[in-house]
Amino acid sequence: MANREALRELQTRLASRLQAARSEGLSVRWLAAQVGGTRYLFPLAQCGEIFPWTPVQPAAYTQAWFLGVANLRGGLCGVVDLVRFMAPDTPVLRSEAVLSECSLLSFNAGMELNCAMLVDQLSGLRGPDAFTASAPAPVGAPGYLGPIHTDAAGLSWQEINLLSLSQLPSFLSISA
């Protein structure tokens, strides 16, 4: 009996959160995060869940940017170090203490890609009203990089299209 009530309560909370997200959908568009010292905006519609850092089981014979697999909510999920993917020659050293402060951001389940990205720091939700200016991605930038938005403090935020990223052959080819 208690389990049914708890399930009903959970469903009610989820329904209210979904309704709130729908009503705020126009004002909130991105999840803001810092990865390797750079500020990024991930489209909310392309993001899945956010998980606290969990140990990753390394996989042999994979690219350096593919950290391995992690058990996220009972399912195996590949974990990608976005910094190493975007700039393979950049040395990235993270201690266990630093990793314990990181999060894993999964791709939306609708993209059918069991993948999560290592995120150094979450910075909250952002909407278009949080920015004072926007500029197109730099010439020659990869197709998954979108516009650069500048906030009121003068900080630049690079938009990343996770759908475009997830369809890149180089992103899908984890073998070394």
Side-chain angles (χ1 to χ4, degrees):
M1 187 70 147
N3 286 341
R4 274 191 197 161
E5 289 178 30
L7 181 59
R8 227 177 265 139
E9 185 179 318
L10 175 64
Q11 289 173 333
T12 303
R13 280 187 307 200
L14 286 175
S16 66
R17 285 183 182 172
L18 284 173
Q19 184 60 34
R22 285 187 189 116
S23 65
E24 293 179 17
L26 297 176
S27 64
V28 176
R29 195 173 292 170
W30 301 284
L31 172 65
Q34 293 184 36
V35 180
T38 304
R39 290 173 292 280
Y40 292 106
L41 297 172
F42 300 102
L44 277 180
Q46 298 172 1
C47 294
E49 290 186 69
I50 299 168
F51 298 92
W53 170 254
T54 186
V56 174
Q57 181 65 40
Y61 307 110
T62 59
Q63 298 286 346
W65 49 264
F66 186 78
L67 298 177
V69 293
N71 181 350
L72 301 179
R73 215 180 277 282
L76 289 180
C77 194
V79 178
V80 171
D81 186 340
L82 194 58
V83 174
R84 288 184 182 169
F85 176 78
M86 293 173 61
D89 297 331
T90 303
V92 180
L93 299 173
R94 291 184 182 98
S95 67
E96 282 299 318
V98 170
L99 284 172
S100 69
E101 299 295 319
C102 293
S103 300
L104 298 175
L105 172 62
S106 67
F107 284 64
N108 186 304
M111 296 165 83
E112 298 181 354
L113 186 68
N114 284 349
C115 184
M117 294 173 297
L118 180 64
V119 174
D120 295 328
Q121 182 181 11
L122 297 170
S123 302
L125 300 174
R126 300 287 193 278
D129 58 337
F131 302 102
T132 58
S134 293
V139 175
Y144 58 85
L145 291 180
I148 298 173
H149 304 281
T150 306
D151 65 15
L155 300 174
S156 295
W157 296 83
Q158 175 75 60
E159 191 174 333
I160 293 185
N161 185 319
L162 295 178
L163 181 60
S164 295
L165 178 65
S166 72
Q167 294 173 348
L168 280 177
S170 60
F171 187 80
L172 296 172
S173 299
I174 63 168
S175 62

